[in-house]
Amino acid sequence: MVRKRILIADRVRQVRGSFAFIPHRFLSGGFLASLSREELLLYFFLVVASDKHGLSYYGSKRICSFLNMSEDEYRSAREQLIAGDLIAFDSTLFQVLELPVGPVGGMR
């Protein structure tokens, strides 16, 4: 087993102000492997852009601009994340959801 140690002590990450968190289970539970690149980009963007409740209200044009993604790629990624039970969307507001037990629905 690899013994972990802090490499740069004065640069240890800290949660300040806003909050962005991806649980280790995203990797170990197969979610990372089940998503396309566009789905991952959108999911990570929404995680970083959301508040402590997972809520974010960025519009599609702004998201597409940030991610250098076409509207079609964005819509497809958004629908796949909804089908995979990773996010909720009400046409103006996103919510990043607690991870389901495992990858579901429309996820690859």
Side-chain angles (χ1 to χ4, degrees):
M1 177 186 227
V2 175
R3 191 160 173 247
K4 293 181 184 177
R5 62 184 171 83
I6 302 296
L7 300 178
I8 303 175
D10 62 340
R11 297 284 307 279
V12 174
R13 287 181 10 159
Q14 297 177 16
V15 176
R16 293 185 186 121
S18 63
F19 182 78
F21 171 73
I22 298 174
H24 185 265
R25 199 165 63 82
F26 188 80
L27 173 64
S28 64
F31 296 94
L32 181 77
S34 71
L35 300 176
S36 72
R37 289 177 191 218
E38 290 79 13
E39 293 159 9
L40 283 171
L41 274 173
L42 180 56
Y43 184 77
F44 289 160
F45 174 84
L46 292 172
V47 168
V48 170
S50 66
D51 67 10
K52 67 180 180 178
H53 302 291
L55 301 173
S56 171
Y57 56 89
Y58 278 85
S60 62
K61 290 186 187 326
R62 185 103 163 137
I63 292 171
C64 289
S65 176
F66 272 121
L67 302 180
N68 195 26
M69 191 181 283
S70 73
E71 286 277 341
D72 287 340
E73 290 170 325
Y74 158 78
R75 274 192 294 279
S76 176
R78 184 188 69 206
E79 293 310 312
Q80 288 297 325
L81 293 175
I82 292 168
D85 203 25
L86 294 175
I87 66 168
F89 180 65
D90 76 353
S91 79
T92 57
L93 185 67
F94 287 96
Q95 182 179 351
V96 176
L97 303 172
E98 182 72 23
L99 291 178
V101 175
V104 297
M107 298 170 76
R108 291 161 185 65

